[in-house]
mmCIF file of all heavy atoms in Angstrom:
data_model
loop_
_atom_site.group_PDB
_atom_site.id
_atom_site.type_symbol
_atom_site.label_atom_id
_atom_site.label_comp_id
_atom_site.label_asym_id
_atom_site.label_seq_id
_atom_site.Cartn_x
_atom_site.Cartn_y
_atom_site.Cartn_z
ATOM 1 N N SER A 263 3.038 -196.683 4.653
ATOM 2 C CA SER A 263 4.068 -195.818 5.152
ATOM 3 C C SER A 263 5.235 -195.759 4.192
ATOM 4 O O SER A 263 5.477 -196.698 3.424
ATOM 5 C CB SER A 263 4.593 -196.269 6.489
ATOM 6 O OG SER A 263 3.584 -196.269 7.503
ATOM 7 N N TRP A 264 5.920 -194.622 4.247
ATOM 8 C CA TRP A 264 7.265 -194.529 3.709
ATOM 9 C C TRP A 264 8.260 -194.437 4.856
ATOM 10 O O TRP A 264 8.057 -193.735 5.804
ATOM 11 C CB TRP A 264 7.414 -193.264 2.839
ATOM 12 C CG TRP A 264 6.745 -193.323 1.514
ATOM 13 C CD1 TRP A 264 5.536 -192.792 1.181
ATOM 14 C CD2 TRP A 264 7.262 -193.985 0.347
ATOM 15 N NE1 TRP A 264 5.235 -193.060 -0.151
ATOM 16 C CE2 TRP A 264 6.276 -193.780 -0.673
ATOM 17 C CE3 TRP A 264 8.401 -194.660 0.019
ATOM 18 C CZ2 TRP A 264 6.455 -194.226 -1.956
ATOM 19 C CZ3 TRP A 264 8.587 -195.114 -1.246
ATOM 20 C CH2 TRP A 264 7.611 -194.947 -2.240
ATOM 21 N N LEU A 265 9.289 -195.251 4.769
ATOM 22 C CA LEU A 265 10.374 -195.222 5.711
ATOM 23 C C LEU A 265 11.678 -195.085 4.981
ATOM 24 O O LEU A 265 11.750 -195.366 3.788
ATOM 25 C CB LEU A 265 10.386 -196.527 6.582
ATOM 26 C CG LEU A 265 9.069 -196.857 7.349
ATOM 27 C CD1 LEU A 265 8.271 -197.841 6.532
ATOM 28 C CD2 LEU A 265 9.397 -197.412 8.713
ATOM 29 N N ARG A 266 12.689 -194.657 5.732
ATOM 30 C CA ARG A 266 13.986 -194.501 5.077
ATOM 31 C C ARG A 266 15.125 -194.941 6.035
ATOM 32 O O ARG A 266 14.985 -194.918 7.266
ATOM 33 C CB ARG A 266 14.229 -193.088 4.596
ATOM 34 C CG ARG A 266 14.346 -192.046 5.702
ATOM 35 C CD ARG A 266 14.427 -190.659 5.159
ATOM 36 N NE ARG A 266 14.524 -189.653 6.183
ATOM 37 C CZ ARG A 266 14.457 -188.325 6.014
ATOM 38 N NH1 ARG A 266 14.282 -187.884 4.725
ATOM 39 N NH2 ARG A 266 14.567 -187.517 7.001
ATOM 40 N N GLN A 267 16.198 -195.322 5.413
ATOM 41 C CA GLN A 267 17.426 -195.697 6.143
ATOM 42 C C GLN A 267 18.616 -194.980 5.560
ATOM 43 O O GLN A 267 18.978 -195.302 4.418
ATOM 44 C CB GLN A 267 17.617 -197.190 6.183
ATOM 45 C CG GLN A 267 18.774 -197.610 7.101
ATOM 46 C CD GLN A 267 18.735 -199.082 7.408
ATOM 47 O OE1 GLN A 267 18.267 -199.916 6.593
ATOM 48 N NE2 GLN A 267 19.257 -199.437 8.535
ATOM 49 N N ALA A 268 19.179 -194.010 6.268
ATOM 50 C CA ALA A 268 20.328 -193.316 5.823
ATOM 51 C C ALA A 268 21.544 -194.092 6.142
ATOM 52 O O ALA A 268 21.542 -194.979 6.998
ATOM 53 C CB ALA A 268 20.413 -191.962 6.508
ATOM 54 N N PRO A 269 22.672 -193.850 5.430
ATOM 55 C CA PRO A 269 23.901 -194.582 5.752
ATOM 56 C C PRO A 269 24.291 -194.463 7.206
ATOM 57 O O PRO A 269 24.372 -193.374 7.791
ATOM 58 C CB PRO A 269 24.947 -193.855 4.835
ATOM 59 C CG PRO A 269 24.143 -193.268 3.713
ATOM 60 C CD PRO A 269 22.845 -192.892 4.346
ATOM 61 N N GLY A 270 24.553 -195.639 7.833
ATOM 62 C CA GLY A 270 24.939 -195.719 9.211
ATOM 63 C C GLY A 270 23.849 -195.433 10.205
ATOM 64 O O GLY A 270 24.107 -195.331 11.417
ATOM 65 N N LYS A 271 22.578 -195.321 9.727
ATOM 66 C CA LYS A 271 21.442 -194.994 10.601
ATOM 67 C C LYS A 271 20.439 -196.151 10.616
ATOM 68 O O LYS A 271 20.463 -196.977 9.729
ATOM 69 C CB LYS A 271 20.753 -193.693 10.219
ATOM 70 C CG LYS A 271 21.705 -192.479 10.136
ATOM 71 C CD LYS A 271 22.190 -192.106 11.565
ATOM 72 C CE LYS A 271 23.045 -190.826 11.439
ATOM 73 N NZ LYS A 271 23.502 -190.442 12.849
ATOM 74 N N GLY A 272 19.544 -196.067 11.557
ATOM 75 C CA GLY A 272 18.440 -197.048 11.606
ATOM 76 C C GLY A 272 17.297 -196.583 10.778
ATOM 77 O O GLY A 272 17.297 -195.515 10.148
ATOM 78 N N LEU A 273 16.263 -197.419 10.690
ATOM 79 C CA LEU A 273 15.080 -197.054 9.955
ATOM 80 C C LEU A 273 14.353 -195.937 10.604
ATOM 81 O O LEU A 273 14.187 -195.870 11.854
ATOM 82 C CB LEU A 273 14.133 -198.236 9.893
ATOM 83 C CG LEU A 273 14.465 -199.345 8.835
ATOM 84 C CD1 LEU A 273 13.628 -200.552 9.061
ATOM 85 C CD2 LEU A 273 14.243 -198.794 7.413
ATOM 86 N N GLU A 274 13.880 -194.982 9.739
ATOM 87 C CA GLU A 274 13.118 -193.861 10.238
ATOM 88 C C GLU A 274 11.825 -193.760 9.489
ATOM 89 O O GLU A 274 11.803 -193.793 8.243
ATOM 90 C CB GLU A 274 13.915 -192.536 9.969
ATOM 91 C CG GLU A 274 13.129 -191.286 10.406
ATOM 92 C CD GLU A 274 13.765 -189.992 9.878
ATOM 93 O OE1 GLU A 274 14.700 -190.080 8.989
ATOM 94 O OE2 GLU A 274 13.435 -188.936 10.355
ATOM 95 N N ARG A 275 10.677 -193.700 10.210
ATOM 96 C CA ARG A 275 9.428 -193.542 9.553
ATOM 97 C C ARG A 275 9.367 -192.113 9.026
ATOM 98 O O ARG A 275 9.544 -191.140 9.816
ATOM 99 C CB ARG A 275 8.299 -193.832 10.542
ATOM 100 C CG ARG A 275 6.910 -193.654 9.925
ATOM 101 C CD ARG A 275 5.834 -193.722 10.988
ATOM 102 N NE ARG A 275 5.923 -192.568 11.915
ATOM 103 C CZ ARG A 275 5.394 -191.396 11.750
ATOM 104 N NH1 ARG A 275 4.640 -191.153 10.656
ATOM 105 N NH2 ARG A 275 5.584 -190.465 12.651
ATOM 106 N N VAL A 276 9.040 -191.965 7.822
ATOM 107 C CA VAL A 276 8.911 -190.650 7.172
ATOM 108 C C VAL A 276 7.476 -190.141 7.171
ATOM 109 O O VAL A 276 7.232 -188.983 7.530
ATOM 110 C CB VAL A 276 9.420 -190.778 5.721
ATOM 111 C CG1 VAL A 276 9.242 -189.394 5.027
ATOM 112 C CG2 VAL A 276 10.918 -191.086 5.734
ATOM 113 N N ALA A 277 6.515 -191.009 6.766
ATOM 114 C CA ALA A 277 5.149 -190.600 6.628
ATOM 115 C C ALA A 277 4.230 -191.779 6.592
ATOM 116 O O ALA A 277 4.598 -192.842 6.109
ATOM 117 C CB ALA A 277 4.940 -189.715 5.424
ATOM 118 N N ASP A 278 3.019 -191.563 7.086
ATOM 119 C CA ASP A 278 1.981 -192.601 7.034
ATOM 120 C C ASP A 278 0.720 -192.055 6.355
ATOM 121 O O ASP A 278 0.450 -190.837 6.465
ATOM 122 C CB ASP A 278 1.569 -193.020 8.399
ATOM 123 C CG ASP A 278 2.677 -193.569 9.276
ATOM 124 O OD1 ASP A 278 3.552 -194.277 8.787
ATOM 125 O OD2 ASP A 278 2.640 -193.195 10.504
ATOM 126 N N ILE A 279 -0.046 -192.895 5.702
ATOM 127 C CA ILE A 279 -1.357 -192.542 5.261
ATOM 128 C C ILE A 279 -2.266 -193.716 5.576
ATOM 129 O O ILE A 279 -1.998 -194.833 5.248
ATOM 130 C CB ILE A 279 -1.387 -192.184 3.753
ATOM 131 C CG1 ILE A 279 -2.796 -191.723 3.376
ATOM 132 C CG2 ILE A 279 -0.867 -193.322 2.906
ATOM 133 C CD1 ILE A 279 -2.805 -190.943 2.042
ATOM 134 N N MET A 280 -3.373 -193.387 6.267
ATOM 135 C CA MET A 280 -4.327 -194.383 6.710
ATOM 136 C C MET A 280 -5.261 -194.785 5.615
ATOM 137 O O MET A 280 -5.316 -194.177 4.533
ATOM 138 C CB MET A 280 -5.119 -193.873 7.900
ATOM 139 C CG MET A 280 -4.304 -193.352 9.058
ATOM 140 S SD MET A 280 -3.195 -194.606 9.797
ATOM 141 C CE MET A 280 -1.618 -194.071 9.195
ATOM 142 N N ASN A 281 -6.023 -195.814 5.822
ATOM 143 C CA ASN A 281 -6.983 -196.247 4.834
ATOM 144 C C ASN A 281 -8.138 -195.228 4.665
ATOM 145 O O ASN A 281 -8.865 -195.284 3.674
ATOM 146 C CB ASN A 281 -7.590 -197.635 5.191
ATOM 147 C CG ASN A 281 -8.247 -197.717 6.557
ATOM 148 O OD1 ASN A 281 -8.216 -196.777 7.309
ATOM 149 N ND2 ASN A 281 -8.860 -198.854 6.800
ATOM 150 N N ASP A 282 -8.268 -194.274 5.624
ATOM 151 C CA ASP A 282 -9.239 -193.230 5.435
ATOM 152 C C ASP A 282 -8.562 -191.929 5.035
ATOM 153 O O ASP A 282 -9.193 -190.837 5.157
ATOM 154 C CB ASP A 282 -10.033 -193.016 6.733
ATOM 155 C CG ASP A 282 -9.169 -192.628 7.954
ATOM 156 O OD1 ASP A 282 -7.925 -192.448 7.767
ATOM 157 O OD2 ASP A 282 -9.688 -192.470 9.049
ATOM 158 N N ASP A 283 -7.331 -191.968 4.571
ATOM 159 C CA ASP A 283 -6.561 -190.873 4.054
ATOM 160 C C ASP A 283 -6.004 -189.917 5.065
ATOM 161 O O ASP A 283 -5.430 -188.833 4.698
ATOM 162 C CB ASP A 283 -7.363 -190.094 2.996
ATOM 163 C CG ASP A 283 -7.530 -190.869 1.687
ATOM 164 O OD1 ASP A 283 -6.714 -191.730 1.411
ATOM 165 O OD2 ASP A 283 -8.482 -190.626 0.987
ATOM 166 N N ARG A 284 -6.159 -190.179 6.347
ATOM 167 C CA ARG A 284 -5.437 -189.384 7.317
ATOM 168 C C ARG A 284 -3.949 -189.583 7.204
ATOM 169 O O ARG A 284 -3.480 -190.709 6.892
ATOM 170 C CB ARG A 284 -5.857 -189.746 8.724
ATOM 171 C CG ARG A 284 -7.308 -189.265 9.114
ATOM 172 C CD ARG A 284 -7.678 -189.763 10.488
ATOM 173 N NE ARG A 284 -7.779 -191.228 10.521
ATOM 174 C CZ ARG A 284 -7.325 -191.966 11.536
ATOM 175 N NH1 ARG A 284 -6.809 -191.454 12.574
ATOM 176 N NH2 ARG A 284 -7.509 -193.292 11.470
ATOM 177 N N THR A 285 -3.172 -188.584 7.414
ATOM 178 C CA THR A 285 -1.726 -188.609 7.253
ATOM 179 C C THR A 285 -0.967 -188.186 8.497
ATOM 180 O O THR A 285 -1.538 -187.476 9.338
ATOM 181 C CB THR A 285 -1.275 -187.742 6.057
ATOM 182 O OG1 THR A 285 -1.668 -186.358 6.346
ATOM 183 C CG2 THR A 285 -1.901 -188.176 4.770
ATOM 184 N N ASP A 286 0.230 -188.609 8.574
ATOM 185 C CA ASP A 286 1.150 -188.215 9.665
ATOM 186 C C ASP A 286 2.542 -188.188 9.166
ATOM 187 O O ASP A 286 2.927 -189.010 8.318
ATOM 188 C CB ASP A 286 1.016 -189.199 10.856
ATOM 189 C CG ASP A 286 1.714 -188.655 12.056
ATOM 190 O OD1 ASP A 286 1.312 -187.648 12.642
ATOM 191 O OD2 ASP A 286 2.756 -189.295 12.477
ATOM 192 N N TYR A 287 3.346 -187.219 9.606
ATOM 193 C CA TYR A 287 4.695 -187.020 9.089
ATOM 194 C C TYR A 287 5.685 -186.968 10.221
ATOM 195 O O TYR A 287 5.387 -186.430 11.315
ATOM 196 C CB TYR A 287 4.788 -185.724 8.274
ATOM 197 C CG TYR A 287 3.932 -185.744 7.062
ATOM 198 C CD1 TYR A 287 2.624 -185.289 7.092
ATOM 199 C CD2 TYR A 287 4.433 -186.179 5.843
ATOM 200 C CE1 TYR A 287 1.818 -185.279 5.971
ATOM 201 C CE2 TYR A 287 3.668 -186.175 4.710
ATOM 202 C CZ TYR A 287 2.341 -185.729 4.788
ATOM 203 O OH TYR A 287 1.573 -185.728 3.636
ATOM 204 N N ALA A 288 6.903 -187.394 9.971
ATOM 205 C CA ALA A 288 7.994 -187.135 10.867
ATOM 206 C C ALA A 288 8.256 -185.631 10.883
ATOM 207 O O ALA A 288 8.098 -184.932 9.920
ATOM 208 C CB ALA A 288 9.251 -187.876 10.388
ATOM 209 N N ASP A 289 8.659 -185.168 12.054
ATOM 210 C CA ASP A 289 8.947 -183.759 12.221
ATOM 211 C C ASP A 289 10.016 -183.243 11.199
ATOM 212 O O ASP A 289 9.919 -182.110 10.708
ATOM 213 C CB ASP A 289 9.410 -183.423 13.635
ATOM 214 C CG ASP A 289 8.342 -183.526 14.669
ATOM 215 O OD1 ASP A 289 7.158 -183.514 14.255
ATOM 216 O OD2 ASP A 289 8.660 -183.603 15.801
ATOM 217 N N SER A 290 10.942 -184.116 10.821
ATOM 218 C CA SER A 290 12.015 -183.728 9.955
ATOM 219 C C SER A 290 11.538 -183.395 8.516
ATOM 220 O O SER A 290 12.291 -182.752 7.739
ATOM 221 C CB SER A 290 13.089 -184.754 9.938
ATOM 222 O OG SER A 290 12.562 -186.022 9.510
ATOM 223 N N VAL A 291 10.336 -183.855 8.163
ATOM 224 C CA VAL A 291 9.896 -183.629 6.778
ATOM 225 C C VAL A 291 8.621 -182.867 6.705
ATOM 226 O O VAL A 291 8.128 -182.581 5.528
ATOM 227 C CB VAL A 291 9.712 -185.023 6.021
ATOM 228 C CG1 VAL A 291 11.022 -185.812 6.105
ATOM 229 C CG2 VAL A 291 8.542 -185.800 6.591
ATOM 230 N N LYS A 292 8.025 -182.498 7.773
ATOM 231 C CA LYS A 292 6.730 -181.759 7.778
ATOM 232 C C LYS A 292 6.893 -180.474 7.008
ATOM 233 O O LYS A 292 7.834 -179.731 7.173
ATOM 234 C CB LYS A 292 6.298 -181.437 9.181
ATOM 235 C CG LYS A 292 5.673 -182.623 9.925
ATOM 236 C CD LYS A 292 5.248 -182.242 11.344
ATOM 237 C CE LYS A 292 4.612 -183.447 12.044
ATOM 238 N NZ LYS A 292 4.239 -183.087 13.461
ATOM 239 N N GLY A 293 5.898 -180.210 6.138
ATOM 240 C CA GLY A 293 5.887 -179.025 5.302
ATOM 241 C C GLY A 293 6.694 -179.180 4.005
ATOM 242 O O GLY A 293 6.559 -178.263 3.121
ATOM 243 N N ARG A 294 7.478 -180.230 3.851
ATOM 244 C CA ARG A 294 8.264 -180.439 2.679
ATOM 245 C C ARG A 294 7.819 -181.659 1.896
ATOM 246 O O ARG A 294 7.949 -181.664 0.656
ATOM 247 C CB ARG A 294 9.750 -180.549 3.008
ATOM 248 C CG ARG A 294 10.302 -179.277 3.684
ATOM 249 C CD ARG A 294 11.807 -179.435 3.858
ATOM 250 N NE ARG A 294 12.153 -180.472 4.764
ATOM 251 C CZ ARG A 294 12.856 -181.563 4.426
ATOM 252 N NH1 ARG A 294 13.254 -181.715 3.170
ATOM 253 N NH2 ARG A 294 13.142 -182.523 5.310
ATOM 254 N N PHE A 295 7.366 -182.708 2.558
ATOM 255 C CA PHE A 295 6.988 -184.001 1.925
ATOM 256 C C PHE A 295 5.457 -184.124 2.011
ATOM 257 O O PHE A 295 4.843 -183.693 2.980
ATOM 258 C CB PHE A 295 7.628 -185.154 2.656
ATOM 259 C CG PHE A 295 9.085 -185.334 2.476
ATOM 260 C CD1 PHE A 295 9.843 -184.328 1.911
ATOM 261 C CD2 PHE A 295 9.702 -186.514 2.853
ATOM 262 C CE1 PHE A 295 11.236 -184.460 1.728
ATOM 263 C CE2 PHE A 295 11.070 -186.705 2.692
ATOM 264 C CZ PHE A 295 11.854 -185.643 2.130
ATOM 265 N N THR A 296 4.915 -184.823 0.982
ATOM 266 C CA THR A 296 3.487 -185.094 1.003
ATOM 267 C C THR A 296 3.263 -186.523 0.582
ATOM 268 O O THR A 296 3.731 -186.995 -0.484
ATOM 269 C CB THR A 296 2.754 -184.146 0.009
ATOM 270 O OG1 THR A 296 2.952 -182.816 0.332
ATOM 271 C CG2 THR A 296 1.242 -184.484 0.038
ATOM 272 N N ILE A 297 2.564 -187.283 1.455
ATOM 273 C CA ILE A 297 2.268 -188.656 1.127
ATOM 274 C C ILE A 297 0.830 -188.739 0.570
ATOM 275 O O ILE A 297 -0.045 -187.986 1.054
ATOM 276 C CB ILE A 297 2.443 -189.573 2.376
ATOM 277 C CG1 ILE A 297 2.237 -191.056 1.976
ATOM 278 C CG2 ILE A 297 1.460 -189.188 3.466
ATOM 279 C CD1 ILE A 297 2.641 -192.029 3.122
ATOM 280 N N SER A 298 0.577 -189.552 -0.406
ATOM 281 C CA SER A 298 -0.724 -189.702 -0.998
ATOM 282 C C SER A 298 -0.903 -191.141 -1.516
ATOM 283 O O SER A 298 0.076 -191.880 -1.639
ATOM 284 C CB SER A 298 -1.013 -188.641 -2.081
ATOM 285 O OG SER A 298 -0.055 -188.853 -3.149
ATOM 286 N N ARG A 299 -2.105 -191.514 -1.801
ATOM 287 C CA ARG A 299 -2.388 -192.799 -2.340
ATOM 288 C C ARG A 299 -3.461 -192.756 -3.423
ATOM 289 O O ARG A 299 -4.331 -191.870 -3.383
ATOM 290 C CB ARG A 299 -2.809 -193.808 -1.220
ATOM 291 C CG ARG A 299 -4.121 -193.473 -0.544
ATOM 292 C CD ARG A 299 -4.310 -194.281 0.758
ATOM 293 N NE ARG A 299 -4.311 -195.714 0.478
ATOM 294 C CZ ARG A 299 -4.147 -196.649 1.434
ATOM 295 N NH1 ARG A 299 -3.889 -196.259 2.682
ATOM 296 N NH2 ARG A 299 -4.187 -197.917 1.118
ATOM 297 N N ASP A 300 -3.387 -193.692 -4.330
ATOM 298 C CA ASP A 300 -4.445 -193.845 -5.352
ATOM 299 C C ASP A 300 -4.853 -195.286 -5.270
ATOM 300 O O ASP A 300 -4.205 -196.193 -5.822
ATOM 301 C CB ASP A 300 -3.903 -193.459 -6.701
ATOM 302 C CG ASP A 300 -4.952 -193.560 -7.785
ATOM 303 O OD1 ASP A 300 -6.012 -194.130 -7.596
ATOM 304 O OD2 ASP A 300 -4.720 -192.992 -8.874
ATOM 305 N N ASN A 301 -5.953 -195.585 -4.620
ATOM 306 C CA ASN A 301 -6.398 -196.940 -4.405
ATOM 307 C C ASN A 301 -6.802 -197.647 -5.703
ATOM 308 O O ASN A 301 -6.670 -198.855 -5.796
ATOM 309 C CB ASN A 301 -7.569 -197.003 -3.379
ATOM 310 C CG ASN A 301 -7.097 -196.646 -1.982
ATOM 311 O OD1 ASN A 301 -5.928 -196.825 -1.673
ATOM 312 N ND2 ASN A 301 -8.011 -196.225 -1.169
ATOM 313 N N ALA A 302 -7.285 -196.844 -6.666
ATOM 314 C CA ALA A 302 -7.616 -197.449 -7.971
ATOM 315 C C ALA A 302 -6.454 -197.982 -8.677
ATOM 316 O O ALA A 302 -6.587 -198.943 -9.497
ATOM 317 C CB ALA A 302 -8.337 -196.411 -8.881
ATOM 318 N N LYS A 303 -5.261 -197.516 -8.380
ATOM 319 C CA LYS A 303 -4.030 -197.977 -8.977
ATOM 320 C C LYS A 303 -3.163 -198.801 -8.055
ATOM 321 O O LYS A 303 -2.044 -199.205 -8.386
ATOM 322 C CB LYS A 303 -3.188 -196.808 -9.512
ATOM 323 C CG LYS A 303 -3.883 -196.021 -10.591
ATOM 324 C CD LYS A 303 -3.002 -194.842 -11.025
ATOM 325 C CE LYS A 303 -3.630 -194.050 -12.158
ATOM 326 N NZ LYS A 303 -2.822 -192.927 -12.591
ATOM 327 N N ASN A 304 -3.669 -199.052 -6.853
ATOM 328 C CA ASN A 304 -2.860 -199.694 -5.784
ATOM 329 C C ASN A 304 -1.533 -199.065 -5.595
ATOM 330 O O ASN A 304 -0.464 -199.678 -5.475
ATOM 331 C CB ASN A 304 -2.672 -201.184 -6.117
ATOM 332 C CG ASN A 304 -3.865 -202.101 -5.877
ATOM 333 O OD1 ASN A 304 -4.934 -201.543 -5.475
ATOM 334 N ND2 ASN A 304 -3.696 -203.364 -5.997
ATOM 335 N N ALA A 305 -1.508 -197.712 -5.617
ATOM 336 C CA ALA A 305 -0.304 -196.949 -5.612
ATOM 337 C C ALA A 305 -0.197 -196.029 -4.429
ATOM 338 O O ALA A 305 -1.172 -195.524 -3.885
ATOM 339 C CB ALA A 305 -0.195 -196.124 -6.928
ATOM 340 N N LEU A 306 1.061 -195.801 -4.061
ATOM 341 C CA LEU A 306 1.451 -194.919 -2.969
ATOM 342 C C LEU A 306 2.513 -193.966 -3.495
ATOM 343 O O LEU A 306 3.350 -194.371 -4.321
ATOM 344 C CB LEU A 306 1.986 -195.689 -1.802
ATOM 345 C CG LEU A 306 2.499 -194.931 -0.588
ATOM 346 C CD1 LEU A 306 1.323 -194.403 0.223
ATOM 347 C CD2 LEU A 306 3.390 -195.848 0.281
#
């Protein structure tokens, strides 16, 4: 997952990607953010 914390705010989940590559996004970023992973590089 990617999460974020804005000044004066709590943690907000931004996006998730499962081990089978299914994704989910917060409504605030849908259509603008894309989460991806490269397992060969252990990268998100």
Side-chain angles (χ1 to χ4, degrees):
S263 298
W264 287 99
L265 304 96
R266 66 186 179 187
Q267 187 166 28
K271 303 293 184 180
L273 281 169
E274 176 191 17
R275 182 190 63 87
V276 175
D278 305 319
I279 184 164
M280 306 299 105
N281 58 354
D282 62 2
D283 288 335
R284 288 177 294 139
T285 59
D286 189 66
Y287 297 89
D289 288 342
S290 59
V291 306
K292 284 181 179 177
R294 299 186 297 114
F295 289 13
T296 302
I297 188 171
S298 60
R299 66 193 298 163
D300 185 344
N301 289 338
K303 298 180 179 180
N304 282 7
L306 178 73

